Amino acid sequence: MADFEQIGEAFTKHYYSVFDQNRQNIAPLYTDQSLLTWEKDQVQGRVNILKKLTELPFNSVRHDIGSIDSQPSLSGGVNILVTGNVVIDNEHPHMFCEYFHLVAENNNYFVTNHIFRFNYGA
């Protein structure tokens, strides 16, 4: 497995573990320049992203990962595409797709771009 695949898998497992347990703790993964698109809503910066994610209208969440695809980016970062199901407030699962672009800085990876979409049938 290439380094970018290991990074993608480790990041994904860490991200959803933190998100599912306490969304407040997700802030260190973003920077002031990070950009999030959540179902067409765009927000920029760590503070605004944390506000968006913590104000989502649910109390409990569990992500069940179906696939993780990773590629190296031309900028030296890692592109990650995640698909799976998300269970919100113990209701029935919803399919989702999520994209992350990570960049390395001081031996850590940060999210620069993040896109989330529910997958609804036509």
Side-chain angles (χ1 to χ4, degrees), residues 4 7 14 24 34 36 62 65 77 97:
F4 64 88
I7 292 164
H14 174 71
Q24 288 282 352
S34 297
L36 166 68
R62 184 187 81 237
I65 304 307
C97 181

PDB file of all heavy atoms in Angstrom, residues 4 7 14 24 34 36 62 65 77 97:
ATOM      1  N   PHE A   4       0.235   7.367   0.360  1.00  0.00           N
ATOM      2  CA  PHE A   4      -0.989   8.156   0.270  1.00  0.00           C
ATOM      3  C   PHE A   4      -2.213   7.323   0.633  1.00  0.00           C
ATOM      4  O   PHE A   4      -3.174   7.840   1.204  1.00  0.00           O
ATOM      5  CB  PHE A   4      -1.143   8.815  -1.114  1.00  0.00           C
ATOM      6  CG  PHE A   4      -1.290   7.848  -2.259  1.00  0.00           C
ATOM      7  CD1 PHE A   4      -2.538   7.382  -2.621  1.00  0.00           C
ATOM      8  CD2 PHE A   4      -0.184   7.440  -2.978  1.00  0.00           C
ATOM      9  CE1 PHE A   4      -2.678   6.498  -3.688  1.00  0.00           C
ATOM     10  CE2 PHE A   4      -0.311   6.556  -4.035  1.00  0.00           C
ATOM     11  CZ  PHE A   4      -1.561   6.078  -4.397  1.00  0.00           C
ATOM     12  N   ILE A   7      -2.168   7.087   4.445  1.00  0.00           N
ATOM     13  CA  ILE A   7      -2.579   8.383   4.992  1.00  0.00           C
ATOM     14  C   ILE A   7      -4.094   8.537   4.866  1.00  0.00           C
ATOM     15  O   ILE A   7      -4.773   8.934   5.807  1.00  0.00           O
ATOM     16  CB  ILE A   7      -1.833   9.537   4.295  1.00  0.00           C
ATOM     17  CG1 ILE A   7      -0.356   9.494   4.660  1.00  0.00           C
ATOM     18  CG2 ILE A   7      -2.456  10.888   4.649  1.00  0.00           C
ATOM     19  CD1 ILE A   7       0.531  10.319   3.756  1.00  0.00           C
ATOM     20  N   HIS A  14      -9.673   8.206  11.657  1.00  0.00           N
ATOM     21  CA  HIS A  14      -9.558   9.195  12.729  1.00  0.00           C
ATOM     22  C   HIS A  14     -10.676  10.234  12.635  1.00  0.00           C
ATOM     23  O   HIS A  14     -11.326  10.555  13.637  1.00  0.00           O
ATOM     24  CB  HIS A  14      -8.193   9.882  12.667  1.00  0.00           C
ATOM     25  CG  HIS A  14      -8.042  11.002  13.644  1.00  0.00           C
ATOM     26  ND1 HIS A  14      -7.927  10.781  15.004  1.00  0.00           N
ATOM     27  CD2 HIS A  14      -8.009  12.345  13.467  1.00  0.00           C
ATOM     28  CE1 HIS A  14      -7.831  11.960  15.617  1.00  0.00           C
ATOM     29  NE2 HIS A  14      -7.881  12.918  14.707  1.00  0.00           N
ATOM     30  N   GLN A  24     -17.001  18.813  18.325  1.00  0.00           N
ATOM     31  CA  GLN A  24     -16.194  19.956  18.787  1.00  0.00           C
ATOM     32  C   GLN A  24     -14.698  19.690  18.602  1.00  0.00           C
ATOM     33  O   GLN A  24     -13.924  20.625  18.401  1.00  0.00           O
ATOM     34  CB  GLN A  24     -16.461  20.234  20.277  1.00  0.00           C
ATOM     35  CG  GLN A  24     -17.795  20.835  20.562  1.00  0.00           C
ATOM     36  CD  GLN A  24     -17.841  22.318  20.240  1.00  0.00           C
ATOM     37  OE1 GLN A  24     -16.826  22.945  19.939  1.00  0.00           O
ATOM     38  NE2 GLN A  24     -19.019  22.891  20.283  1.00  0.00           N
ATOM     39  N   SER A  34      -9.167  26.701   5.204  1.00  0.00           N
ATOM     40  CA  SER A  34      -9.929  25.531   4.780  1.00  0.00           C
ATOM     41  C   SER A  34     -11.301  25.931   4.257  1.00  0.00           C
ATOM     42  O   SER A  34     -11.904  26.898   4.728  1.00  0.00           O
ATOM     43  CB  SER A  34     -10.108  24.564   5.951  1.00  0.00           C
ATOM     44  OG  SER A  34      -8.867  24.075   6.402  1.00  0.00           O
ATOM     45  N   LEU A  36     -15.179  24.313   3.278  1.00  0.00           N
ATOM     46  CA  LEU A  36     -16.144  23.216   3.398  1.00  0.00           C
ATOM     47  C   LEU A  36     -17.365  23.534   2.555  1.00  0.00           C
ATOM     48  O   LEU A  36     -17.900  24.648   2.624  1.00  0.00           O
ATOM     49  CB  LEU A  36     -16.582  23.043   4.858  1.00  0.00           C
ATOM     50  CG  LEU A  36     -17.822  22.174   5.107  1.00  0.00           C
ATOM     51  CD1 LEU A  36     -17.541  20.707   4.784  1.00  0.00           C
ATOM     52  CD2 LEU A  36     -18.304  22.320   6.543  1.00  0.00           C
ATOM     53  N   ARG A  62     -23.408   8.134  13.408  1.00  0.00           N
ATOM     54  CA  ARG A  62     -22.450   7.037  13.237  1.00  0.00           C
ATOM     55  C   ARG A  62     -22.206   6.852  11.742  1.00  0.00           C
ATOM     56  O   ARG A  62     -23.148   6.672  10.972  1.00  0.00           O
ATOM     57  CB  ARG A  62     -22.984   5.738  13.829  1.00  0.00           C
ATOM     58  CG  ARG A  62     -21.955   4.599  13.760  1.00  0.00           C
ATOM     59  CD  ARG A  62     -22.531   3.259  14.194  1.00  0.00           C
ATOM     60  NE  ARG A  62     -23.289   2.664  13.096  1.00  0.00           N
ATOM     61  CZ  ARG A  62     -24.560   2.305  13.155  1.00  0.00           C
ATOM     62  NH1 ARG A  62     -25.265   2.491  14.251  1.00  0.00           N
ATOM     63  NH2 ARG A  62     -25.175   1.778  12.115  1.00  0.00           N
ATOM     64  N   ILE A  65     -18.325   3.216   6.996  1.00  0.00           N
ATOM     65  CA  ILE A  65     -17.546   3.442   5.781  1.00  0.00           C
ATOM     66  C   ILE A  65     -17.685   2.254   4.840  1.00  0.00           C
ATOM     67  O   ILE A  65     -17.480   1.106   5.234  1.00  0.00           O
ATOM     68  CB  ILE A  65     -16.058   3.654   6.129  1.00  0.00           C
ATOM     69  CG1 ILE A  65     -15.886   4.796   7.128  1.00  0.00           C
ATOM     70  CG2 ILE A  65     -15.239   3.897   4.864  1.00  0.00           C
ATOM     71  CD1 ILE A  65     -16.543   6.079   6.725  1.00  0.00           C
ATOM     72  N   GLY A  77      -0.200  16.809  -1.569  1.00  0.00           N
ATOM     73  CA  GLY A  77      -1.175  16.407  -0.555  1.00  0.00           C
ATOM     74  C   GLY A  77      -1.815  15.079  -0.917  1.00  0.00           C
ATOM     75  O   GLY A  77      -1.276  14.300  -1.708  1.00  0.00           O
ATOM     76  N   CYS A  97     -21.448  10.617   0.357  1.00  0.00           N
ATOM     77  CA  CYS A  97     -20.167  10.683  -0.333  1.00  0.00           C
ATOM     78  C   CYS A  97     -19.449  11.905   0.222  1.00  0.00           C
ATOM     79  O   CYS A  97     -20.056  12.967   0.389  1.00  0.00           O
ATOM     80  CB  CYS A  97     -20.398  10.832  -1.835  1.00  0.00           C
ATOM     81  SG  CYS A  97     -18.892  10.885  -2.797  1.00  0.00           S
TER      82      CYS A  97
END
